[in-house]
Amino acid sequence: MSSATPRPTSRPETGATAPGTSATQRALAQRYGTGHRAVARSPRRGPSTRGWMLIAAAATLVAALFVVWIVWGNSQRPVFKDVSFQITDSAHVYADFDLTKDPDQTVTCAVQALNEQYAVVGWTEVTIGHVPDDQLNGRTSTHRVPLRTTNLATTAGVDSCWETSG
């Protein structure tokens, strides 16, 4: 018996579809194929997770060293604190201050007297080296500096202190 309709031949298709798919899906599979190509990833740029952790650890270490350097540097500086002043007359003033320094440091402090307009009317520099143990309170010693003034002063105190060699 021969029929007029040709029988489809079985041939391998590149886009074979699974049974139970719709006609639209079969048509799309036949046209475009069913296999999906894996898109190759581009090489990763930048550090890996481990690399980021190493970078974070290094940054933390650098920050900690910076803080230690700043704290250590400031602890070596002489520190002054104005305590009081005494105006004896229009030409003389006494300034009292505390100085905290290392025992082996030699420090120079600039002491000034100011008038009502905050103009400097007296100035002197005093160098403080070794202080006897009986005059120390820890690393702090108290000092009284006389100043000669050009006009009547209204205040007197330390302007700045710095370490000097020798």
Side-chain angles (χ1 to χ4, degrees):
M1 199 168 180
S2 108
S3 87
T5 59
R7 188 171 165 198
T9 60
S10 172
R11 62 177 194 230
E13 295 182 9
T14 57
T17 59
T21 57
S22 69
T24 306
Q25 288 175 337
R26 280 194 302 269
L28 289 174
Q30 192 174 16
R31 179 177 286 175
Y32 300 110
T34 58
H36 296 283
R37 288 187 312 176
V39 177
R41 288 186 166 201
S42 61
R44 183 181 169 114
R45 294 180 185 237
S48 64
T49 303
R50 183 174 181 223
W52 280 115
M53 292 179 81
L54 288 173
I55 290 170
T60 302
L61 179 65
V62 167
L65 288 174
F66 179 72
V67 168
V68 167
W69 178 63
I70 293 294
V71 169
W72 181 78
N74 284 340
S75 70
Q76 302 300 314
R77 257 190 212 144
V79 178
F80 64 89
K81 179 181 178 187
D82 290 326
V83 175
S84 66
F85 63 92
Q86 179 184 6
I87 302 168
T88 55
D89 57 32
S90 63
H92 297 91
V93 176
Y94 289 96
D96 299 324
F97 65 95
D98 288 341
L99 177 65
T100 303
K101 68 178 188 72
D102 285 337
D104 57 343
Q105 276 183 322
T106 301
V107 174
T108 300
C109 291
V111 184
Q112 66 182 2
L114 305 175
N115 66 8
E116 287 182 349
Q117 290 78 28
Y118 302 104
V120 177
V121 294
W123 177 276
T124 190
E125 290 182 358
V126 59
T127 301
I128 301 164
H130 177 73
V131 178
D133 291 338
D134 62 334
Q135 296 177 5
L136 285 175
N137 182 11
R139 296 180 356 171
T140 304
S141 56
T142 302
H143 303 276
R144 177 171 218 151
V145 177
L147 284 153
R148 293 194 53 132
T149 59
T150 56
N151 302 15
L152 180 63
T154 56
T155 187
V158 177
D159 180 58
S160 61
C161 290
W162 60 92
E163 183 178 3
T164 55
S165 59

